[in-house]
Amino acid sequence: SVPKRHPLAFGAVFASIKTMTADVVVQKVIEKKEEVDVKRALVFACFGFAYLGVVQYFVYVKTFSRVFPAAADFARLPLRQKLRDSKGLKALGGQLFIDQLVHVPFFLFPTYYVMKESILCDADTREHKQQTVVGAALSKYRRNFVEDNASSMAIWIPVNLVNFGFMPMEARIPVLAAVSLFYCMLLSWRRGAAEPTTHARDLKKRVGSVDAAK
């Protein structure tokens, strides 16, 4: 099959299309936008291809298989044998720990925020605050750190118990990509839109002042 012969290419293209689709669905169906914000959709397409497809392939398939060499054999075991395999269970716990307490908070989310900041967000606002793209992105991520990671853990710990514990290595990225369609819709709904620009905030303040004077 194509996923087995070309897992990296298949996963990257699938993840890009899936992630962009998730954002477009949110924009049109949930936010009821008449026109799709193309730059916002581009953020999700790029993030899906470069990180969810390519980087996560090396994280979950290449790196995890080296750090946890028995993971592939453990995933193929019947359930009863899994429950008796203490080494395999420790490796499963280690994969979950590294994924949710190292990979996601310190690599995945910062990458998303930097991509969003560089493609979608307002350069004038950064200039006004004397911030770089990375500085502005990480400042926003710090404000959302607890909420973003709590929602990630609530979804991905159960999913990856199945993914890391039962799925063959070449199927991990397609499984992640399929489930993350819904997670990316949540990410788009909560974090997809650009923040108001400096000009928009100033205009809102002036309108508020006029209304108050009336």
Side-chain angles (χ1 to χ4, degrees), residues 43 47 51-52 55-56 99-119 132-145 148-149 152 183 187 191:
V43 171
F47 179 65
Y51 198 93
L52 301 185
V55 174
Q56 286 194 157
D99 184 51
Q100 287 300 311
L101 296 179
V102 179
H103 165 234
V104 171
F106 299 110
F107 294 93
L108 184 148
F109 276 129
T111 301
Y112 169 73
Y113 276 87
V114 169
M115 283 190 170
K116 177 184 172 183
E117 187 68 34
S118 62
I119 296 173
T132 63
V133 168
V134 174
L138 295 184
S139 176
K140 293 169 184 176
Y141 176 45
R142 280 193 293 270
R143 293 198 299 267
N144 300 327
F145 183 90
D148 285 350
N149 285 283
S152 173
Y183 179 74
L187 182 64
R191 305 288 181 235

Side-chain angles (χ1 to χ4, degrees), residues 20 24 54 64 86 88 165 169 213:
M20 182 177 65
V24 171
V54 176
F64 274 26
S86 59
M169 302 301 287

Side-chain angles (χ1 to χ4, degrees), residues 88-104:
L89 290 171
K90 287 179 182 178
L92 176 59
Q95 291 174 85
L96 292 172
F97 177 87
I98 291 174
D99 184 51
Q100 287 300 311
L101 296 179
V102 179
H103 165 234
V104 171

Side-chain angles (χ1 to χ4, degrees), residues 48-61:
F49 183 90
Y51 198 93
L52 301 185
V54 176
V55 174
Q56 286 194 157
Y57 173 82
F58 288 99
V59 171
Y60 292 129
V61 177

Side-chain angles (χ1 to χ4, degrees), residues 73-201:
D73 292 335
F74 179 79
R76 288 191 289 266
L77 291 176
L79 179 58
R80 288 185 179 181
Q81 291 186 38
K82 282 184 171 71
L83 296 176
R84 293 196 297 267
D85 185 349
S86 59
K87 186 177 179 180
L89 290 171
K90 287 179 182 178
L92 176 59
Q95 291 174 85
L96 292 172
F97 177 87
I98 291 174
D99 184 51
Q100 287 300 311
L101 296 179
V102 179
H103 165 234
V104 171
F106 299 110
F107 294 93
L108 184 148
F109 276 129
T111 301
Y112 169 73
Y113 276 87
V114 169
M115 283 190 170
K116 177 184 172 183
E117 187 68 34
S118 62
I119 296 173
L120 183 61
C121 296
D122 182 52
D124 291 338
T125 300
R126 290 196 299 272
E127 185 177 347
H128 178 74
K129 294 182 177 181
Q130 297 183 326
Q131 290 180 315
T132 63
V133 168
V134 174
L138 295 184
S139 176
K140 293 169 184 176
Y141 176 45
R142 280 193 293 270
R143 293 198 299 267
N144 300 327
F145 183 90
V146 173
E147 187 177 359
D148 285 350
N149 285 283
S151 63
S152 173
M153 289 180 187
I155 294 170
W156 288 111
I157 288 178
V159 168
N160 280 334
L161 274 172
V162 175
N163 200 26
F164 297 157
F166 295 90
M167 302 304 296
M169 302 301 287
E170 66 272 8
R172 286 188 172 190
I173 292 302
V175 168
L176 288 169
V179 176
S180 71
L181 171 65
F182 302 99
Y183 179 74
C184 288
M185 289 175 67
L186 176 65
L187 182 64
S188 173
W189 176 59
R190 294 172 61 188
R191 305 288 181 235
E195 290 78 5
T197 63
T198 300
H199 173 73
R201 285 194 294 269

